[in-house]
Amino acid sequence: MIALLPVAIVLLGRFWWPGESSAWASSTRFALLAFLVCLVFVERSFFVRLDKKLGVVLLLFGGWVILSVALFDGQSEVLRRGLVLAVFICAVAVLKMDGEAALLNLLRAAALVGTAAALVTIYFELERRGLDFRYRAFRLHSSGVPGFAEFFNPIISGMHMAFAGLTACWCVLFARTPAARCLWFCCLSVIAVYVFLTYSRSAWLALGLGGVVLLTLRGRAIFWGIFVGAMTLALVVITIKFPQVFSVEVERGTTNRDLIWAMVIDSMPGYWLAGHGAGIEMSQMSIPGQTVVNTHSLYLEVLYQYGVVGLLLFLVALLMAAKAMWADRSDLSVLGVSLLAGSVGVMFFELHSFIHSPNLVWLWIWFPMAIALGSQIRRSAQR
């Protein structure tokens, strides 16, 4: 159960942790180190139980990262961060293979904390601004309680809450009693309101795509009916309260992301195959109204740093992870594939810092990837 500690720090500590965010990251590394020691000396059979095909692809990608640092002037810091990330993936895979129950309970706890964070944030925002419901009059990003759910950026806060929202949606579908289902539906509703009020289209997309996948895999007719009814009601309310929502979003367009993407592509001649090097950041790019330093597309970040080879390995890993969880269809795998589905769409427009300290990429990409890595033992047992 020592594998549960670092995963708990990642899933719960993002809402509150003593000290600065660096203290959260340091605590995660310390807990992962303790897990690694136990893994090496106690759980030596762990590696033979992993999904072999996905494991090979991830090893090939890891080898390419090492080559990128050694031969293509990549940043050596990526190797340390990559090692920490690899141990985190192993910890999640262990929890998946050991029966899922502990990890599922942890995810439920994280969804409840997310609900509390959403309620607190909405309450303090209403207290501070009153009933100002003009479209984009404000964007939720911090709770108003020092140290608690302070994300400082509406896109980041929206993605954190969309993760909690998908978990709550999963809880609705898998609840065993009407009372539990009502509780989780209330949680999902609160989180959905928060996500909408971040006005983060990436968070909307992640929650929407993931929710559709959940319903496809586990939704009965009654849940589809509730979903269609809730969406219809939401559209009616949004149209009445925010009549300008559609025209504003159409006018915003890509918010100059097309200019950023064009600059990324323009910087690739001579680097298409191997990229610029692991962890190498782009030069500052000036677009109307601001200066940006990331690609605003995780796919393009992987291409920029690791080239076509790295991007292809990453895409193959995504496909194999989705296939593994789709075939497994366990409770946890259903949630994992919905998270991955949500992230696949978002990665066209957002997410960055591919191999880094704990961040959104850990939640939306590496966490479900780890679930897939630990899925083989269940399939073997079923055969």
Side-chain angles (χ1 to χ4, degrees):
M1 294 302 291
I2 195 170
L4 191 64
L5 178 60
V7 181
I9 293 174
V10 171
L11 292 179
L12 300 176
R14 59 200 171 104
F15 293 106
W16 179 85
W17 196 258
E20 302 294 330
S21 59
S22 58
W24 174 50
S26 297
S27 299
T28 302
R29 288 193 293 268
F30 181 80
L32 286 171
L33 176 61
F35 164 73
L36 179 61
V37 172
C38 293
L39 184 67
V40 171
F41 292 102
V42 179
E43 281 282 342
R44 295 183 181 180
S45 63
F46 158 77
F47 297 101
V48 302
R49 298 188 290 160
L50 296 174
D51 185 301
K52 300 298 188 296
K53 294 179 181 179
L54 179 57
V56 168
V57 174
L58 291 176
L59 283 175
L60 287 174
F61 185 81
W64 186 247
V65 172
I66 294 172
L67 284 177
S68 181
V69 173
L71 302 180
F72 306 122
D73 299 323
Q75 295 182 347
S76 59
E77 182 71 10
V78 171
L79 297 181
R80 181 186 65 80
R81 291 170 175 166
L83 177 60
V84 173
L85 176 58
V87 179
F88 171 76
I89 292 172
C90 290
V92 176
V94 164
L95 293 171
K96 170 69 173 76
M97 291 188 294
D98 285 348
E100 301 188 359
L103 185 52
L104 289 176
N105 288 332
L106 178 59
L107 285 163
R108 291 185 183 99
L112 288 174
V113 175
T115 304
L119 280 171
V120 170
T121 304
I122 293 171
Y123 170 78
F124 278 108
E125 196 67 34
L126 289 177
E127 186 179 65
R128 182 163 54 248
R129 297 179 182 272
L131 297 174
D132 185 359
F133 286 113
R134 291 172 298 150
Y135 186 64
R136 297 180 70 87
F138 60 86
R139 301 179 68 188
L140 299 183
H141 55 79
S142 297
S143 67
V145 179
F148 178 62
E150 289 188 311
F151 302 111
F152 301 110
N153 181 296
I155 295 175
I156 294 174
S157 67
M159 289 300 295
H160 276 290
M161 287 302 180
F163 185 96
L166 273 182
T167 306
C169 183
W170 175 90
C171 291
V172 171
L173 297 178
F174 284 84
R176 297 184 179 181
T177 66
R181 190 167 290 123
C182 289
L183 169 65
W184 288 115
F185 184 77
C186 290
C187 292
L188 174 59
S189 300
V190 170
I191 294 172
V193 170
Y194 181 107
V195 170
F196 174 74
L197 291 176
T198 64
Y199 302 109
S200 166
R201 292 178 293 184
S202 298
W204 298 351
L205 180 63
L207 187 56
L209 283 177
V212 169
V213 170
L214 278 176
L215 286 170
T216 301
L217 290 174
R218 283 293 190 271
R220 300 194 300 269
I222 186 172
F223 292 127
W224 278 104
I226 293 172
F227 172 75
V228 172
M231 289 301 298
T232 302
L233 178 62
L235 286 174
V236 170
V237 172
I238 289 171
T239 302
I240 294 174
K241 288 291 184 181
F242 309 101
Q244 70 276 44
V245 56
F246 302 107
S247 60
V248 169
E249 292 302 332
V250 169
E251 183 179 347
R252 291 180 68 223
T254 62
T255 55
N256 294 313
R257 280 173 172 78
D258 54 326
L259 299 179
I260 299 171
W261 299 335
M263 293 178 194
V264 175
I265 298 301
D266 289 343
S267 70
M268 290 307 296
Y271 296 94
W272 284 106
L273 183 63
H276 290 75
I280 299 299
E281 294 184 355
M282 292 193 62
S283 301
Q284 288 189 349
M285 298 174 288
S286 296
I287 60 174
Q290 61 179 314
T291 299
V292 297
V293 293
N294 71 71
T295 61
H296 281 274
S297 167
L298 193 65
Y299 296 121
L300 285 181
E301 179 180 312
V302 175
L303 175 66
Y304 181 85
Q305 295 185 0
Y306 302 101
V308 172
V309 174
L311 180 60
L312 287 176
L313 287 171
F314 176 52
L315 293 177
V316 169
L318 288 176
L319 289 173
M320 293 183 69
K323 180 181 178 182
M325 290 184 289
W326 189 275
D328 187 35
R329 297 291 182 97
S330 69
D331 293 357
L332 185 59
S333 290
V334 168
L335 177 58
V337 77
S338 72
L339 291 169
L340 205 58
S343 68
V344 163
V346 171
M347 284 189 287
F348 283 104
F349 313 102
E350 281 297 342
L351 298 181
H352 59 90
S353 300
F354 183 54
I355 299 178
H356 210 270
S357 301
N359 60 9
L360 287 172
V361 179
W362 278 42
L363 293 177
W364 286 95
I365 309 298
W366 299 119
F367 181 75
M369 195 88 73
I371 293 173
L373 193 62
S375 294
Q376 185 178 16
I377 187 171
R378 182 180 178 89
R379 296 198 301 274
S380 297
Q382 289 173 343
R383 288 197 294 267

